[in-house]
Amino acid sequence: MSEPELHDSEKQSPRLDEKFTKAEVSEVDADVFGNEEGNQIQYKTLSWQFVSFLMIAEIVSNGILSLPSALAVVGIVPALILIVFLGIFALYTAKLLVDFKLNHPEVHNMGDAGFIIFGPVGREILSTGTIIFAIAGTGSVLLSGQQALTTLSNKGMCAMYLLLIVSATTFVLALPRTLGRLSHLGLFSAALITLSGFLAMVGAGINPVPERVISATIPTTFYEAFLAITNPVFAYAGHFMFFMLISEMREPQDAMKAAWCLQGFATTFYAVFSIVMYVYIGNTAQSPILFSLPPAWAKATFAIALGNFIISGALYSHTAALLVFIRFFRRSKHVHSHTVLGWTIWIILCFAAVTIAFVFATAVPIFSYIIGITAALFASWYTYGIAGFFWLHDTYYLEGGYRALRRKYLGTTLAVGTILIGAFICVAGTWVSIKLIVEAYSSGAVGRPFTC
């Protein structure tokens, strides 16, 4: 009599038992949060709708601010094709990540996934990469918040003090222990960035740039073109949070609904916003694009977007803190109970994440370029490339080895192509970022640390 077929979420990768010791397997052999009935702190409370809002709040935040400048470099047609293609591609890789999570409910973050695919070394690399990327993301939105306050105050206060104000607010908002406690902030944040975008389009339409130049295509070098397309590439760089978000869902099987909502909204909004802003501003479009608006409109749009920047920074720093917290306290009472030690460590971790981001943003003159390097090194894999490894692994270990890979030749081809695309973005993006740093130093554009 044949064995009953298991649901994907019930299957376990035989590779764990084959390759690792029992002690190592025990770290990741069950749903990360388990049965939460009666626990003081319950994580699995998110609906797919609120997961969508959190994703939009985190991903769309800085994405719309830099995209119109890409059109100014390569033209409307190539940029629009790229925005739509990358949106569809990100939806495909999101599907691979969701399937992998459902097959392996023990996965809480990229580090756990790295353990399954590449062993202990993979876990350390992907965990460290997630923390670095999350802190760099925190620093990026802190700088956006500082730019907003600088604009609103007419440069009336030292930029470092403004950055400190944004950082302190971000730290406070990052403190809730679960993403469910941040979910309503996610809804508010998504509404703010959407409203800010629409207001920016209205402002650009009312105040078009005279004698602006609009180009369907613009001949350019590979370096300049790739420098421009890094904006749309990294505008979708939010997959590194997917496993954590799905882990806190009431119904993880609904995760693809959230991914559809995110990518549908982001791709449509990115395309419409970028084209409208470029059509009214032309090839003088700046990054952030809000600086291309008249002062009054820039202040209005920055004022609305400021809340999104702060909440987005809280999500990034929360992610870095949560990964470390779960890594050290997994399966302990401190995860689900209000213990003094648990709360003390949690507050320290949140403070450390925001503080490190603040220090780097103020002490490292080339921090904005370092953000580009971290995005190239990690977002290229977390959003795109590594999803191919997930598909190949589960198809091989859960569906019949090499015969399954040959039978599903189309999926195998797409998975390998995904890995290669991720590798290309990683290498080319890193090269572009390093070249930018060299040019910045040679031109004297690099400032000094801890200055206004």
Side-chain angles (χ1 to χ4, degrees), residues 173-237:
L173 293 184
L175 285 176
R177 289 279 292 273
T178 69
L179 289 168
R181 295 289 186 181
L182 293 171
S183 59
H184 287 86
L185 285 178
L187 170 60
F188 181 58
S189 180
L192 287 178
I193 198 63
T194 304
L195 179 59
S196 179
F198 276 113
L199 188 62
M201 287 188 283
V202 172
I206 294 175
N207 303 278
V209 174
E211 300 180 0
R212 60 194 176 278
V213 177
I214 303 170
S215 305
T217 59
I218 301 175
T220 186
T221 64
F222 173 80
Y223 167 69
E224 292 174 335
F226 197 85
L227 178 61
I229 68 175
T230 53
N231 290 330
V233 165
F234 301 137
Y236 293 103

Side-chain angles (χ1 to χ4, degrees), residues 314-336:
L315 288 173
Y316 278 120
S317 51
H318 180 100
T319 298
L322 186 61
L323 187 152
V324 177
F325 188 86
I326 295 297
R327 175 69 183 275
F328 285 100
F329 289 115
R330 193 166 186 154
R331 308 279 182 251
S332 76
K333 64 179 182 179
H334 304 293
V335 173
H336 287 105

Side-chain angles (χ1 to χ4, degrees), residues 16-29 115:
L16 292 177
D17 294 329
E18 293 172 1
K19 186 171 182 180
F20 306 118
T21 67
K22 289 184 179 180
E24 290 175 323
V25 172
S26 66
E27 294 184 33
V28 290
D29 62 356
F115 177 74

Side-chain angles (χ1 to χ4, degrees), residues 147-157 162 295-296 299:
Q147 289 176 329
L149 288 181
T150 298
T151 302
L152 292 170
S153 65
N154 293 319
K155 300 182 180 179
M157 184 183 292
L162 295 176
K299 288 183 178 181

Side-chain angles (χ1 to χ4, degrees), residues 302-417:
F302 264 128
I304 296 173
L306 178 60
N308 169 267
F309 298 150
I310 294 172
I311 295 170
S312 180
L315 288 173
Y316 278 120
S317 51
H318 180 100
T319 298
L322 186 61
L323 187 152
V324 177
F325 188 86
I326 295 297
R327 175 69 183 275
F328 285 100
F329 289 115
R330 193 166 186 154
R331 308 279 182 251
S332 76
K333 64 179 182 179
H334 304 293
V335 173
H336 287 105
S337 301
H338 293 295
T339 64
V340 173
L341 177 61
W343 270 106
T344 300
I345 297 300
W346 175 251
I347 292 171
I348 291 173
L349 289 173
C350 290
F351 182 78
V354 177
T355 300
I356 293 171
F358 169 79
V359 170
F360 271 92
T362 55
V364 182
I366 59 170
F367 181 67
S368 59
Y369 301 105
I370 292 178
I371 292 171
I373 293 178
T374 58
L377 289 174
F378 302 116
S380 58
W381 290 109
Y382 294 156
T383 304
Y384 299 111
I386 201 169
F389 285 111
F390 295 158
W391 190 92
L392 293 174
H393 174 276
D394 279 5
T395 300
Y396 180 87
Y397 285 100
L398 302 181
E399 299 189 29
Y402 288 113
R403 299 176 74 176
L405 293 175
R406 288 195 297 269
R407 185 176 68 254
K408 297 187 173 184
Y409 63 90
L410 179 58
T412 301
T413 302
L414 288 173
V416 172

Side-chain angles (χ1 to χ4, degrees), residues 44-309:
K44 295 186 288 188
T45 60
L46 286 172
S47 66
W48 70 263
Q49 292 92 341
F50 276 103
V51 169
S52 302
F53 296 139
L54 288 169
M55 288 177 173
I56 291 170
E58 177 253 331
I59 294 176
V60 179
S61 180
N62 271 349
I64 65 169
L65 300 183
S66 57
L67 284 176
S69 63
L71 277 68
V73 176
V74 298
I76 292 178
V77 175
L80 182 59
I81 291 173
L82 191 66
I83 289 171
V84 174
F85 168 75
L86 289 173
I88 296 172
F89 191 25
L91 181 64
Y92 164 70
T93 56
K95 176 67 166 62
L96 301 187
L97 265 67
V98 170
D99 288 345
F100 189 81
K101 168 63 179 176
L102 295 180
N103 288 337
H104 306 275
E106 70 274 14
V107 169
H108 173 254
N109 53 66
M110 282 290 177
D112 291 342
F115 177 74
I116 292 175
I117 302 293
F118 305 113
V121 174
R123 173 173 57 191
E124 302 306 328
I125 292 174
L126 293 186
S127 293
T128 302
T130 300
I131 295 168
I132 292 173
F133 185 72
I135 290 176
T138 302
S140 177
V141 289
L142 290 181
L143 287 175
S144 295
Q146 176 258 309
Q147 289 176 329
L149 288 181
T150 298
T151 302
L152 292 170
S153 65
N154 293 319
K155 300 182 180 179
M157 184 183 292
C158 175
M160 187 172 66
Y161 298 149
L162 295 176
L163 186 66
L164 183 60
I165 293 171
V166 176
S167 300
T169 309
T170 298
F171 163 66
V172 172
L173 293 184
L175 285 176
R177 289 279 292 273
T178 69
L179 289 168
R181 295 289 186 181
L182 293 171
S183 59
H184 287 86
L185 285 178
L187 170 60
F188 181 58
S189 180
L192 287 178
I193 198 63
T194 304
L195 179 59
S196 179
F198 276 113
L199 188 62
M201 287 188 283
V202 172
I206 294 175
N207 303 278
V209 174
E211 300 180 0
R212 60 194 176 278
V213 177
I214 303 170
S215 305
T217 59
I218 301 175
T220 186
T221 64
F222 173 80
Y223 167 69
E224 292 174 335
F226 197 85
L227 178 61
I229 68 175
T230 53
N231 290 330
V233 165
F234 301 137
Y236 293 103
H239 287 39
F240 78 105
M241 281 186 64
F242 274 22
F243 289 142
M244 290 187 178
L245 287 164
I246 299 171
S247 295
E248 297 195 29
M249 290 182 66
R250 289 195 300 266
E251 304 291 341
Q253 61 270 24
D254 289 339
M256 268 313 295
K257 295 179 182 178
W260 272 102
C261 184
L262 164 68
Q263 299 304 155
F265 174 83
T267 304
T268 303
F269 194 49
Y270 283 161
V272 172
F273 180 81
S274 300
I275 291 175
V276 170
M277 296 301 287
Y278 178 68
V279 165
Y280 286 113
I281 295 173
N283 289 341
T284 59
Q286 301 180 52
S287 180
I289 190 59
L290 301 186
F291 285 138
S292 297
L293 297 172
W297 286 93
K299 288 183 178 181
T301 51
F302 264 128
I304 296 173
L306 178 60
N308 169 267
F309 298 150

